[in-house]
Amino acid sequence: MTDISVLLIGASGALGKPLLEEFVRQKKQFERVAILATPDRASKFKDLDAEVIAGSLYDPVSYRGFSHVISAVGNALMVLQPAMVEAAITAGVRHFYASEWNSDIAQREIYDMRYFRDKQAVRAYLRAKASQTPGFQYTLMVTGIFTEWALDEFYGFDHKALTAEIYGEPGARIGVTSIPDIARYTVDSLRIPFEGQGRTLRVQGWTGKLDGLIAELEIARGVKYAVTWVVVNEAKVKEEHARLKEDDLGEMMFSIKTLLASGHGVADGVGRLDNHLFDFQPEIPRQTFARVFEDNLA
Ligand SMILES: NC(=O)c1ccc[n+]([C@@H]2O[C@H](COP(=O)([O-])OP(=O)(O)OC[C@H]3O[C@@H](n4cnc5c(N)ncnc54)[C@H](OP(=O)(O)O)[C@@H]3O)[C@@H](O)[C@H]2O)c1
């Protein structure tokens, strides 16, 4: 067992839930694992095998007694993470995992993508804060696109009609990791110490071309998809319309629809992968797709 005590924020989210399951599975490795939820949300965790701290995300009292905080918050709270870090540091937290789990947003080509703006702000804040706070460290987990979400309706797939309308052109490089593997990489990473203020861990379950990923889906399902490629500018026009209407979420979402076939939906666009630091074999996409479609049919 380590002397690590973990507080997880966003435990009911798309990633937070599998993260919590992985923490529960590896509970013996940690001194303490708990969820932080606001009082209005805390009751939804009452049947789970986990300690729940009901309190404000911005009050140091909520963070007392924890060494590590994992923030798996979604878009609405993304830009508010600095306030969580302030509260956590005041309470004595030594290590903060920011809500990341994306492609490497340090890549120049996607650096200015609207979807990532809040994450860039949090990165800049963490760099500055850690440089002024002795003993405080942060981790950014970079994982590529979630395999389960990569060929989703959001990116233009229709799994009943067996069609796909994708912004971009064929042949783009892509990196994906399945959600349970992302949870495992994240939980395992807590036991990998490092020197210095901050680190970026880049892991990827599968790397290839988007066409290859679609072929994996076709093999898993035993079907063929009719794919249409749409000019990227159409998404950019919709993004701009949303911006002018002050529709922040719409603006964010149209910006990221172009990521799939951009060639930059990868974890290793800037630095090398760190998969060698971990001792398990990730799922390949056809296994993930087989699992997802089996679950959907069950
Ligand atoms: N690479 C990829 O393909 C990919 C795909 C998806 C997500 N991600 C990343 O993964 C991370 C997590 O995203 P997600 O999709 O899992 O987020 P999500 O499903 O939206 O979950 C957000 C979590 O925050 C909680 N929350 C929201 N408002 C709250 C409030 N006011 N007080 C307390 N808790 C609140 C939610 O609780 P409730 O359930 O009660 O609202 C939920 O647990 C993000 O950084 C996201 O960008 C990456």
Side-chain angles (χ1 to χ4, degrees):
M1 190 173 83
T2 60
D3 63 351
I4 295 173
S5 46
V6 183
L7 187 62
L8 174 63
I9 308 176
S12 58
L15 180 63
K17 225 166 156 193
L19 260 178
L20 178 61
E21 281 163 16
E22 186 62 28
F23 272 119
V24 169
R25 198 176 72 80
Q26 298 201 34
K27 212 169 167 177
K28 289 203 176 93
Q29 303 285 338
F30 301 101
E31 202 172 276
R32 189 177 171 197
V33 173
I35 296 164
L36 172 58
T38 46
D40 55 317
R41 288 172 149 86
S43 64
K44 74 165 86 161
F45 300 110
K46 69 178 185 321
D47 296 328
L48 293 182
D49 181 20
E51 181 189 353
V52 181
I53 309 288
S56 162
L57 309 185
Y58 314 110
D59 183 349
V61 171
S62 306
Y63 296 86
R64 262 188 217 145
F66 293 94
S67 62
H68 289 58
V69 170
I70 314 287
S71 165
V73 299
N75 298 328
L77 298 186
M78 198 63 69
V79 79
L80 295 172
Q81 290 177 97
M84 298 171 201
V85 177
E86 289 292 333
I89 289 177
T90 304
V93 167
R94 305 193 309 263
H95 197 143
F96 192 91
Y97 277 58
S99 192
E100 281 264 340
W101 300 286
N102 27 248
S103 305
D104 198 339
I105 61 175
Q107 295 172 88
R108 181 70 255 176
E109 296 83 351
I110 58 170
Y111 181 82
D112 294 323
M113 197 175 256
R114 171 64 182 91
Y115 185 83
F116 298 130
R117 190 176 76 189
D118 296 349
K119 292 188 176 202
Q120 299 288 12
V122 173
R123 281 186 171 203
Y125 167 82
L126 282 170
R127 279 194 293 272
K129 188 72 190 175
S131 73
Q132 310 213 350
T133 314
F136 175 70
Q137 295 184 306
Y138 66 88
T139 293
L140 309 173
M141 294 294 303
V142 171
T143 58
I145 300 177
F146 292 4
T147 313
E148 290 86 339
W149 292 32
L151 306 187
D152 188 40
E153 283 170 20
F154 177 79
Y155 285 116
F157 282 74
D158 183 329
H159 296 297
K160 282 203 183 104
L162 303 181
T163 58
E165 281 191 13
I166 305 171
Y167 290 110
E169 290 173 8
R173 195 165 174 266
I174 189 166
V176 293
T177 311
S178 79
I179 295 174
D181 287 338
I182 289 175
R184 179 140 181 215
Y185 281 124
T186 305
V187 174
D188 286 2
S189 75
L190 281 130
R191 297 196 299 276
I192 306 174
F194 70 100
E195 301 288 328
Q197 295 159 0
R199 67 173 166 185
T200 302
L201 285 174
R202 298 177 176 87
V203 289
Q204 201 155 266
W206 181 90
T207 314
K209 296 266 173 76
L210 178 52
D211 320 58
L213 188 64
I214 297 170
E216 288 280 299
L217 172 66
E218 291 177 333
I219 291 166
R221 293 199 65 199
V223 296
K224 282 273 171 206
Y225 283 72
V227 181
T228 314
W229 301 92
V230 183
V231 284
V232 168
N233 202 41
E234 284 188 24
K236 297 218 176 299
V237 169
K238 289 179 178 156
E239 179 187 340
E240 180 59 6
H241 279 163
R243 187 186 74 81
L244 290 171
K245 281 196 294 183
E246 298 184 3
D247 169 13
D248 285 306
L249 194 59
E251 186 191 352
M252 282 174 87
M253 290 313 181
F254 272 110
S255 78
I256 204 171
K257 276 176 192 282
T258 60
L259 181 68
L260 190 74
S262 68
H264 303 291
V266 292
D268 60 346
V270 173
R272 291 215 188 117
L273 293 177
D274 296 301
N275 286 44
H276 63 278
L277 298 176
F278 299 86
D279 62 1
F280 70 94
Q281 210 45 43
E283 259 184 0
I284 59 168
R286 74 184 69 177
Q287 293 171 314
T288 309
F289 293 134
R291 177 169 54 73
V292 168
F293 282 93
E294 198 172 299
D295 286 353
N296 286 349
L297 293 175

Coordinates of all heavy atoms in Angstrom, one line a residue, residues 255-284:
S255 N -16.2 23.2 -32.9 CA -14.8 23.3 -33.1 C -14.1 21.9 -33.0 O -13.2 21.5 -33.8 CB -14.1 24.2 -32.0 OG -14.0 23.5 -30.8
I256 N -14.7 21.0 -32.2 CA -14.0 19.7 -32.0 C -14.4 18.6 -33.0 O -13.8 17.6 -33.1 CB -14.1 19.2 -30.5 CG1 -13.0 18.3 -30.2 CG2 -15.5 18.6 -30.2 CD1 -12.9 17.9 -28.8
K257 N -15.5 18.9 -33.7 CA -16.0 17.9 -34.7 C -14.9 17.7 -35.8 O -14.9 16.7 -36.5 CB -17.3 18.4 -35.3 CG -18.5 18.0 -34.5 CD -19.8 18.5 -35.1 CE -21.0 18.4 -34.2 NZ -21.6 17.1 -34.1
T258 N -14.0 18.7 -35.9 CA -13.0 18.6 -37.0 C -11.8 17.8 -36.5 O -10.9 17.6 -37.3 CB -12.6 20.0 -37.5 OG1 -12.0 20.7 -36.4 CG2 -13.8 20.8 -38.0
L259 N -11.8 17.5 -35.2 CA -10.6 16.8 -34.7 C -10.3 15.4 -35.3 O -9.2 15.1 -35.5 CB -10.7 16.7 -33.1 CG -9.5 16.1 -32.4 CD1 -8.2 17.0 -32.5 CD2 -9.8 15.9 -30.9
L260 N -11.4 14.7 -35.4 CA -11.3 13.3 -35.8 C -10.4 13.0 -37.0 O -9.5 12.2 -37.0 CB -12.7 12.7 -36.1 CG -12.8 11.2 -36.2 CD1 -12.6 10.5 -34.9 CD2 -14.1 10.8 -36.8
A261 N -10.6 13.8 -38.1 CA -9.9 13.6 -39.3 C -8.8 14.7 -39.5 O -8.4 14.9 -40.7 CB -10.8 13.5 -40.5
S262 N -8.4 15.3 -38.4 CA -7.4 16.4 -38.6 C -6.0 15.9 -38.7 O -5.1 16.6 -39.1 CB -7.6 17.3 -37.3 OG -7.1 16.6 -36.2
G263 N -5.8 14.7 -38.2 CA -4.4 14.1 -38.1 C -3.7 14.5 -36.8 O -2.6 14.0 -36.5
H264 N -4.5 15.2 -35.9 CA -3.9 15.6 -34.7 C -4.7 15.1 -33.5 O -4.4 15.5 -32.3 CB -3.8 17.2 -34.6 CG -3.0 17.7 -35.7 ND1 -1.7 17.5 -35.9 CD2 -3.4 18.4 -36.8 CE1 -1.3 18.1 -37.0 NE2 -2.3 18.6 -37.6
G265 N -5.6 14.2 -33.8 CA -6.3 13.5 -32.7 C -5.5 12.4 -32.1 O -5.8 11.2 -32.2
V266 N -4.3 12.7 -31.6 CA -3.3 11.8 -31.1 C -2.7 12.2 -29.8 O -2.7 13.4 -29.5 CB -2.2 11.6 -32.2 CG1 -2.7 10.9 -33.4 CG2 -1.5 12.9 -32.5
A267 N -2.2 11.3 -29.1 CA -1.5 11.6 -27.8 C 0.0 11.9 -28.0 O 0.6 12.5 -27.2 CB -1.6 10.5 -26.8
D268 N 0.5 11.5 -29.2 CA 2.0 11.6 -29.4 C 2.3 12.6 -30.5 O 3.3 12.4 -31.2 CB 2.6 10.2 -29.7 CG 2.0 9.6 -31.0 OD1 0.9 10.1 -31.5 OD2 2.5 8.7 -31.5
G269 N 1.6 13.7 -30.6 CA 1.8 14.7 -31.6 C 3.1 15.6 -31.2 O 3.7 16.2 -32.1
V270 N 3.4 15.7 -30.0 CA 4.5 16.5 -29.6 C 5.6 15.7 -28.9 O 6.8 15.8 -29.2 CB 4.0 17.6 -28.6 CG1 5.2 18.4 -28.0 CG2 3.1 18.6 -29.3
G271 N 5.2 14.9 -27.9 CA 6.2 14.1 -27.2 C 6.0 12.6 -27.4 O 5.0 12.2 -28.0
R272 N 6.9 11.8 -27.0 CA 6.8 10.3 -27.1 C 5.8 9.7 -26.2 O 5.5 10.3 -25.1 CB 8.2 9.7 -26.9 CG 9.2 10.0 -27.9 CD 10.1 8.8 -28.1 NE 11.2 9.2 -29.0 CZ 12.4 9.2 -28.6 NH1 12.8 8.8 -27.4 NH2 13.4 9.6 -29.4
L273 N 5.3 8.5 -26.6 CA 4.3 7.8 -25.7 C 5.0 7.3 -24.5 O 6.2 6.9 -24.5 CB 3.6 6.7 -26.5 CG 2.7 7.2 -27.6 CD1 2.1 6.0 -28.3 CD2 1.6 8.0 -27.0
D274 N 4.3 7.2 -23.4 CA 4.8 6.6 -22.1 C 4.2 5.2 -21.8 O 4.3 4.8 -20.6 CB 4.5 7.6 -20.9 CG 5.2 8.9 -21.1 OD1 6.4 8.9 -21.2 OD2 4.5 9.9 -21.2
N275 N 3.7 4.6 -22.8 CA 3.1 3.3 -22.5 C 4.0 2.3 -21.8 O 3.6 1.5 -21.0 CB 2.6 2.6 -23.9 CG 1.4 3.3 -24.5 OD1 1.3 4.5 -24.5 ND2 0.5 2.5 -24.9
H276 N 5.3 2.4 -22.1 CA 6.3 1.5 -21.5 C 6.3 1.6 -19.9 O 6.9 0.7 -19.3 CB 7.7 1.7 -22.1 CG 8.2 3.1 -21.8 ND1 7.8 4.2 -22.5 CD2 9.0 3.5 -20.8 CE1 8.4 5.3 -22.0 NE2 9.2 4.9 -20.9
L277 N 5.8 2.6 -19.4 CA 5.8 2.8 -17.9 C 4.7 1.9 -17.3 O 4.7 1.8 -16.0 CB 5.6 4.2 -17.5 CG 6.6 5.3 -18.0 CD1 6.2 6.7 -17.6 CD2 8.0 5.0 -17.4
F278 N 3.8 1.3 -18.1 CA 2.7 0.6 -17.5 C 2.8 -0.9 -17.9 O 3.3 -1.2 -19.0 CB 1.4 1.2 -18.1 CG 1.2 2.7 -17.7 CD1 1.8 3.7 -18.4 CD2 0.6 3.0 -16.5 CE1 1.7 5.0 -18.1 CE2 0.4 4.3 -16.1 CZ 1.0 5.3 -16.9
D279 N 2.3 -1.7 -17.1 CA 2.5 -3.2 -17.3 C 1.3 -3.9 -17.7 O 1.0 -5.0 -17.3 CB 3.1 -3.8 -16.0 CG 2.2 -3.7 -14.8 OD1 1.1 -3.2 -15.0 OD2 2.6 -4.2 -13.8
F280 N 0.4 -3.3 -18.5 CA -0.7 -4.1 -19.0 C -0.9 -3.7 -20.5 O -0.4 -2.7 -21.0 CB -2.0 -3.8 -18.3 CG -2.6 -2.4 -18.5 CD1 -3.5 -2.1 -19.5 CD2 -2.1 -1.3 -17.7 CE1 -4.0 -0.8 -19.7 CE2 -2.6 0.0 -17.9 CZ -3.5 0.2 -18.9
Q281 N -1.6 -4.6 -21.2 CA -1.8 -4.5 -22.6 C -3.1 -3.9 -22.9 O -4.2 -4.4 -22.4 CB -1.8 -6.0 -23.2 CG -1.3 -6.2 -24.6 CD 0.0 -5.4 -25.0 OE1 0.9 -5.4 -24.2 NE2 -0.1 -4.8 -26.1
P282 N -3.2 -2.7 -23.5 CA -4.5 -2.1 -23.8 C -5.3 -2.9 -24.8 O -4.8 -3.6 -25.6 CB -4.1 -0.7 -24.3 CG -2.8 -0.9 -24.9 CD -2.1 -2.0 -24.1
E283 N -6.6 -2.6 -24.7 CA -7.6 -3.2 -25.7 C -7.3 -2.7 -27.1 O -6.9 -1.5 -27.2 CB -9.0 -2.7 -25.4 CG -9.9 -3.7 -24.7 CD -11.3 -3.1 -24.5 OE1 -11.6 -2.0 -24.9 OE2 -12.1 -3.8 -23.9
I284 N -7.5 -3.5 -28.1 CA -7.4 -2.9 -29.5 C -8.9 -2.5 -29.9 O -9.8 -3.0 -29.3 CB -6.8 -3.9 -30.5 CG1 -7.6 -5.2 -30.6 CG2 -5.4 -4.2 -30.2 CD1 -7.2 -6.1 -31.8

